[in-house]
Structures are given as C-alpha cells and as structure tokens.
Amino acid sequence: MTSTERRAGRASERALADLREAILDGDLPAGAHLGEVEIAERLGLSRTPVREALTRLAAEGLVELEAHRGARVTRFSREDLDGIFDVRLALEPQATARAAAHVTAADLAALDALARRMQELGAPGPDQDLDALVGLNRDFHARLLALAHAPALAAALANVVHTPVVTRTFRTYDPDSLARSLAHHTEIVAALRAGDGDWAGAVMRCHLGNARAVMVEQR
C-alpha cells in the first residue's frame, strides 16, 4: 500500500467515525440532509472519503442514499421500531444472562462505575446531562454483549443496538421512564454480581420493554 493510499484510508475512517458519532449522539438528527460538500468542509476533507463513509453508513442502516437527492440520516417508522425491539428482546436478554457466567471483578467494577455515573448524570436538576448518557449507555450495553462470549448474538444485534433510535431514547424519556431505565442498569450489575443469569436477563427484558414503550409511543 502506498503512502497516498494509507492517507486516503485514514481520511475515510476519520469521516466514518466522525459521522457515525454525530448521528448516534443526535447531532445529526433523523431526516437530516448529508451534503458531501458541506460535510467535507466541516471535516476538512475531500469529498471522496466522505462519499465512502456515507456508503458504509448506509450499509449499517444509519444513512439512506436517495438517487438524485443525496444522503439523509435514516428515519424510523413505527414498524421499524417494532422490528428493532423485537430483535433486541429476543436476543439481548439471552446475551445478558450469558454474561453472568463470564463476568469478573474488574468487569463488575467497570459496569458499576458506568451505572453509577449514569445515575448521577440522569438525576433531575441543573447538572442533568442527557447527551453524556448516550455514550455511557452504549458502553454499558457493549460491555454486556462482549461478556456474553457469543459472536453470533453480537453479530445479530450489531445493526439494531447501534441505531439512532436506540441512542436517542434518553432524549424522549419522561422523568419516570428515565428513572426506571437507570435503575435497571444498577439492578443488572447486582444480578451479575450475584451470578444470577436468569435475574440479569429478566431485568434486561424489563429495560428494553421500558424503552420500547417510550419510543413506539412517540410515533
């Protein structure tokens, strides 16, 4: 690989990472137009790596490519939401239950720290930071999935766990639903600490049901 090819590859990866993060964090909302020229100028890149990044994001389901109209951040219908949560409810409680057999003291400490920090940032008041919760929540669920030691489950969940729908859930929660969601994280850690996979999986099912009720209600 030549130095020019390496630079092009790095530029494409940077565009991909920056755009994915902006979509997942809600900086680029559902339906937002993604103009190659504007994005290239914003990132300080040429249009080629931006075009490659948009193509890859379309394959991930985060972006829709429309003929003669360019790219837009994917919108999700009620039917889309139902499908996403059907998959998550079928698989993620299983993955969480499996994690109980593999979790270590270090894993528990990391998960507990994430859960506690989310409780702090989600508490009502002037210091509440819903945007910060998005990344912490993503890390929490990713750690649980990794602890399942089940590549097939991880692959099946990849395109539904990392969608704008899921990461924006915190912005649509009412106070009671948010409190339930944050409490679920804490209880999942308690279940894993007890080595009780059934308990952990049951809490994850409640956790997803809570999110589904809020997100589908918005449609």
Side-chain angles (χ1 to χ4, degrees), residues 62-81:
L62 296 178
V63 165
E64 296 174 341
L65 300 178
E66 303 173 333
H68 311 300
R69 299 183 65 181
R72 290 187 180 278
V73 178
T74 301
R75 289 183 182 275
F76 292 89
S77 68
R78 186 186 183 97
E79 291 72 22
D80 293 329
L81 290 172

Side-chain angles (χ1 to χ4, degrees), residues 44 51 57 59 64 81 90 100 113 141 160 173 186 189 210 215:
R51 188 178 304 117
L57 289 169
E64 296 174 341
L81 290 172
H141 284 265
V160 292
Y173 274 143
T186 301
V189 176
N210 183 54
M215 293 304 295

Side-chain angles (χ1 to χ4, degrees), residues 115-131:
R116 289 176 183 276
R117 185 57 178 154
M118 282 189 278
Q119 288 276 13
E120 293 170 359
L121 293 175
D127 294 328
Q128 187 181 66
D129 189 346
L130 298 182
D131 289 337

Side-chain angles (χ1 to χ4, degrees), residues 28-70:
L28 292 171
H33 177 68
L34 302 171
E36 289 181 9
V37 174
E38 293 85 349
I39 293 172
E41 290 177 351
R42 169 182 167 182
L43 299 180
L45 300 171
S46 69
R47 293 176 63 179
T48 298
V50 171
R51 188 178 304 117
E52 292 172 352
L54 290 174
T55 299
R56 292 173 66 180
L57 289 169
E60 294 178 13
L62 296 178
V63 165
E64 296 174 341
L65 300 178
E66 303 173 333
H68 311 300
R69 299 183 65 181

Side-chain angles (χ1 to χ4, degrees), residues 135-218:
L136 294 172
N137 181 67
R138 193 160 63 238
D139 289 347
F140 187 89
H141 284 265
R143 282 180 176 273
L144 287 177
L145 190 54
L147 283 170
H149 292 194
L153 278 176
L157 281 165
N159 287 332
V160 292
V161 172
H162 300 292
T163 61
V165 171
V166 177
T167 58
R168 289 175 189 155
T169 304
F170 286 115
R171 297 183 177 91
T172 55
Y173 274 143
D174 58 73
D176 289 342
S177 296
L178 176 58
R180 278 195 299 273
S181 178
L182 298 178
H184 288 151
H185 291 139
T186 301
E187 188 173 358
I188 287 170
V189 176
L192 294 178
R193 183 174 285 112
D196 192 331
D198 289 340
W199 177 15
V203 179
M204 179 57 76
R205 179 168 291 278
C206 292
H207 184 63
L208 295 172
N210 183 54
R212 182 177 196 162
V214 172
M215 293 304 295
V216 173
E217 187 177 305
Q218 301 301 312

